[in-house]
């Protein structure tokens, strides 16, 4: 594996009580790479994502982001997290703040930007996700898709070096998924390094550089989408991919073939 | 009618003085309660094992015993341990700590209603735990706690009446003294009751105005989802 990996995960283990969630995950992500992680629920995909910014502490293993080992003792994790954007399944927008304030609060309080600077950058980030006209709306006044786009803008506002998406469309009504995926695709095209846990097969096939198939706490197989869909090494990979495509990605599948 | 007017003329100045003491007790007790209750709630939710245990002990002791017992322990009991309070100070301390225990529970409930996802999202942005509490959790928790807190504030006006038992000249204390002069207790207690109702009425209007001012669309709804 190359030395320039933006993110390097080595032999990650995590157990809750006696239940082992991650059983030795190793993964390198290159700069500007878009990696989609798939797998049955409960296989540790979200846990792995949360280990990357230490929202969950791994029991064992190492993670490097650029030149820093973030799993080393005495690392200032708050500093590291500024470089890692995270988008959650449930959006987790700050409910007492408007869309714009959601985007600017991290800039103002963490990055210590001036109010004017934060406002300008906040509006620009909302522009990127197409929500300038919703700047003064509170989360309760936004649709699920709009909330998730604000959440993406909020993460982008910190100028992250990598973005983690934890099932970003799973809590959305089907007709709202598209607008979020469009924003994500645009990000990918702009060269953002992205790690996406998702079952959106259309997105995985068209946007990702690599699909990682996880099951029971290990990486079963990984490779470019074409390879995983058409020449998987394991029958299990093929089985899962096609089952998921049927459930989630039918439209994209039909339109792309 | 004329005799009522004469009576009012005679007693109102004294009763209004008592009313001022009652208001003073209410405001100071609520302020002490806020200063103690909010940190106690934070410690209960986010603190380590020992601080959390101490916070629970404080809250349960003050919520589990009668206010009048607390007042007597502070005013008559503590001097045995070398801690002597003036009447007013004893009243402030007791009412304040009592209110703090209740306020702590209201704030704890509100903090928990905000939901763990808010903390997670704040930490993921790079906020320290304290920044997350300060900028994300507390602003929401305070708004969510406001209805309960308003009731506490209104109730406090009435709770303060207990301090006449250690001869603090509040509204209740003044009414008792004045009633004793001509043995017209009933008239004076009724006048005092009317003043209490007026205070409660004004306070209710005041807190509702504040609640409206601080309203955030859908905040309760979003908090409930988690």
């Amino acid at each position: 594996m190359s030395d320039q990996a933006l993110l390097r995960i080595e032999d990650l283990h995590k157990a809750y009580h006696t239940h082992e969630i991650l059983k030795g995950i190793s993964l390198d992500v290159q700069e500007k790479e878009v990696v989609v992680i798939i797998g049955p629920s409960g296989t540790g995909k979200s846990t792995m994502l949360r280990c990357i910014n230490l929202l969950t502490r791994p029991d064992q293993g190492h993670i490097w982001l650029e030149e820093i080992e973030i799993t080393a003792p005495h690392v200032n994790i708050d500093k590291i997290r500024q470089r890692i954007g995270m988008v959650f399944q449930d959006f987790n927008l700050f409910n007492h703040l408007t869309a714009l304030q959601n985007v600017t609060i991290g800039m103002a309080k963490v990055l210590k930007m001036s109010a004017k600077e934060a406002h300008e950058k906040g509006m620009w980030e909302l522009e990127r996700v197409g929500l300038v006209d919703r700047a003064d709306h509170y989360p309760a006044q936004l649709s699920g898709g709009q909330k998730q786009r604000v959440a993406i803008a909020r993460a982008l506002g910190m100028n992250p070096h990598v973005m983690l998406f934890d099932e970003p469309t799973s809590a959305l009504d089907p007709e709202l998924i598209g607008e979020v995926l469009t924003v994500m695709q645009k990000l990918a095209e702009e060269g953002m390094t992205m790690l996406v846990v998702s079952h959106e097969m259309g997105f995985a096939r068209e946007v990702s550089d690599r699909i990682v198939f996880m099951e029971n706490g290990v990486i079963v197989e990984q490779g470019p989408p074409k390879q995983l869909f058409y020449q998987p090494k394991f029958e299990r990979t093929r089985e899962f991919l096609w089952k998921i495509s049927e459930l989630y990605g039918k439209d994209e599948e039909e339109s792309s073939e | 009618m004329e005799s009522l007017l004469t009576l009012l003329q005679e007693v109102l100045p004294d009763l209004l003085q008592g009313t001022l003491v009652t208001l003073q007790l209410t405001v100071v007790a609520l302020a002490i309660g806020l200063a103690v209750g909010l940190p106690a709630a934070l410690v209960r939710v986010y603190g380590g094992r020992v601080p959390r245990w101490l916070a629970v002990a404080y809250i349960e002791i003050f919520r589990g015993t009668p206010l009048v017992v607390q007042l007597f322990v502070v005013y008559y009991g503590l001097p045995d341990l070398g801690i002597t309070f003036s009447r007013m100070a004893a009243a402030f301390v007791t009412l304040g700590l009592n209110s703090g225990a209740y306020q702590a529970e209201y704030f704890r409930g509100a903090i928990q209603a905000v939901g763990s996802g808010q903390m997670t999202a704040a930490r993921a942005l790079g906020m320290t735990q304290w920044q997350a509490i300060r900028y994300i959790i507390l602003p929401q928790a305070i708004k969510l706690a406001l209805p309960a807190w308003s009731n506490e504030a209104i109730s406090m006006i009435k709770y303060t009446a207990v301090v006449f038992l250690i001869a603090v000249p509040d509204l209740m204390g003044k009414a008792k003294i004045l009633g004793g002069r001509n043995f017209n207790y009933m008239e004076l207690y009724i006048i005092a009751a009317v003043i209490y109702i007026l205070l409660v009425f004004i306070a209710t209007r005041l807190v509702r105005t504040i609640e409206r001012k601080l309203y955030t669309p859908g905040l309760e709804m979003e908090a409930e989802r988690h």
Side-chain angles (χ1 to χ4, degrees):
Chain A
M1 297 243 159
S2 94
D3 272 332
Q4 308 99 303
L6 183 92
L7 181 73
R8 159 169 282 190
I9 300 170
E10 210 177 86
D11 195 31
L12 209 61
H13 286 259
K14 178 70 189 178
Y16 290 107
H17 304 293
T18 56
H19 182 50
E20 252 192 308
I21 304 282
L22 300 177
K23 301 172 188 167
I25 297 280
S26 296
L27 185 70
D28 277 22
V29 179
Q30 307 300 321
E31 201 180 341
K32 301 191 176 187
E33 201 181 5
V34 177
V35 177
V36 171
I37 301 156
I38 59 169
S41 59
T43 34
K45 304 177 305 270
S46 295
T47 306
M48 186 193 80
L49 223 52
R50 280 162 180 262
C51 281
I52 295 173
N53 61 3
L54 295 194
L55 287 175
T56 298
R57 276 237 163 234
D59 299 331
Q60 196 187 314
H62 304 275
I63 300 170
W64 286 268
L65 178 68
E66 288 155 337
E67 73 292 354
I68 302 170
E69 188 195 340
I70 68 177
T71 41
H74 313 301
V75 164
N76 182 346
I77 188 56
D78 298 319
K79 278 263 179 282
I80 302 288
R81 284 178 181 146
Q82 294 169 25
R83 297 194 197 174
I84 307 175
M86 184 147 192
V87 174
F88 303 89
Q89 180 176 347
D90 297 326
F91 328 127
N92 290 344
L93 286 189
F94 304 133
N95 296 318
H96 63 307
L97 301 177
T98 63
L100 179 62
Q101 289 168 335
N102 262 279
V103 181
T104 56
I105 189 146
M107 303 176 194
K109 303 305 178 189
V110 178
L111 300 180
K112 313 284 183 201
M113 279 187 198
S114 71
K116 185 167 168 286
E117 230 182 323
H119 179 89
E120 275 168 18
K121 185 162 166 54
M123 288 306 273
W124 189 73
E125 297 298 350
L126 283 179
E127 176 82 58
R128 274 174 99 178
V129 299
L131 285 173
V132 170
D133 57 331
R134 295 286 185 276
D136 294 328
H137 285 51
Y138 285 94
Q141 300 166 321
L142 299 172
S143 72
Q146 292 171 337
K147 281 184 207 177
Q148 195 60 299
R149 283 148 68 197
V150 172
I152 292 171
R154 173 176 71 180
L156 290 176
M158 306 296 285
N159 295 328
H161 299 198
V162 55
M163 287 278 287
L164 311 177
F165 294 85
D166 189 2
E167 306 209 23
T169 56
S170 299
L172 293 175
D173 292 333
E175 76 270 22
L176 301 177
I177 291 175
E179 60 188 78
V180 173
L181 292 180
T182 305
V183 167
M184 288 169 63
Q185 178 162 7
K186 206 176 98 193
L187 264 186
E189 283 159 6
E190 287 169 14
M192 177 60 75
T193 309
M194 294 162 66
L195 227 69
V196 185
V197 171
S198 177
H199 288 153
E200 294 300 331
M201 284 301 117
F203 179 84
R205 293 210 294 184
E206 280 151 39
V207 182
S208 81
D209 300 303
R210 178 157 44 125
I211 296 179
V212 173
F213 175 46
M214 266 178 81
E215 188 165 39
N216 296 324
V218 295
I219 291 176
V220 176
E221 185 169 355
Q222 53 178 309
K226 276 208 163 60
Q227 182 192 321
L228 250 71
F229 270 96
Y230 299 106
Q231 292 122 27
K233 283 187 221 132
F234 299 97
E235 185 49 35
R236 177 72 188 119
T237 310
R238 179 200 301 277
E239 197 186 317
F240 182 82
L241 270 171
W242 288 103
K243 188 183 280 177
I244 285 288
S245 300
E246 233 169 67
L247 285 173
Y248 291 86
K250 210 159 193 178
D251 295 343
E252 290 87 338
E253 193 187 315
E254 281 161 1
S255 62
S256 67
E257 279 172 336
Chain B
M1 196 63 203
E2 207 165 301
S3 67
L4 179 63
L5 284 179
T6 323
L7 177 65
L8 281 177
Q9 220 166 24
E10 190 188 311
V11 300
L12 265 187
D14 262 11
L15 286 181
L16 289 180
Q17 257 181 19
T19 305
L20 285 181
V21 173
T22 291
L23 285 176
Q24 195 186 354
L25 286 167
T26 304
V27 170
V28 173
L30 287 172
I32 294 175
L34 185 63
V36 176
L38 197 51
L42 288 173
V43 168
R44 252 202 99 160
V45 179
Y46 299 111
R49 220 166 56 91
V50 174
R52 204 164 63 223
W53 188 87
L54 286 172
V56 171
Y58 155 65
I59 292 165
E60 292 310 320
I61 286 171
F62 276 90
R63 292 200 330 143
T65 56
L67 179 54
V68 64
V69 173
Q70 296 161 16
L71 186 67
F72 282 9
V73 167
V74 168
Y75 186 63
Y76 297 117
L78 289 186
D80 290 348
L81 302 175
I83 307 168
T84 306
F85 289 110
S86 70
R87 295 172 202 285
M88 273 310 263
F92 285 144
V93 167
T94 311
L95 291 169
L97 290 180
N98 181 278
S99 182
Y102 283 94
Q103 290 188 38
E105 282 301 89
Y106 300 143
F107 285 123
R108 179 179 69 99
I111 289 168
Q112 285 168 341
V114 169
S116 61
Q118 298 282 305
M119 175 59 91
T120 308
R123 298 305 303 271
L125 275 183
M127 288 193 189
T128 62
Q129 189 186 35
W130 172 243
Q131 282 179 321
I133 290 172
R134 162 86 179 70
Y135 299 115
I136 306 301
I137 306 295
L138 275 187
Q140 295 183 63
I142 287 171
K143 285 184 185 181
L144 290 175
L146 208 56
W149 198 90
S150 305
N151 288 341
E152 169 72 10
I154 291 162
S155 301
M156 184 50 71
I157 296 170
K158 297 171 288 171
Y159 294 148
T160 56
V162 74
V163 300
F164 89 99
L165 288 168
I166 57 168
V168 170
D170 72 328
L171 177 54
M172 178 66 194
K174 288 284 194 188
K176 184 171 182 290
I177 292 164
L178 292 167
R181 281 194 199 150
N182 301 310
F183 293 101
N184 51 351
Y185 285 110
M186 196 45 67
E187 283 96 328
L188 274 141
Y189 287 149
I190 286 171
I191 296 169
V194 170
I195 297 175
Y196 276 114
I197 285 181
L198 281 173
L199 292 182
V200 166
F201 178 75
I202 294 165
T204 308
R205 296 293 293 266
L206 200 66
V207 294
R208 298 292 171 251
T209 308
I210 294 171
E211 278 177 30
R212 262 201 311 278
K213 284 252 160 69
L214 293 178
Y215 175 74
T216 304
L219 186 63
E220 304 79 6
M221 209 175 73
E222 292 293 317
E224 257 168 36
R225 295 181 354 148
H226 298 290

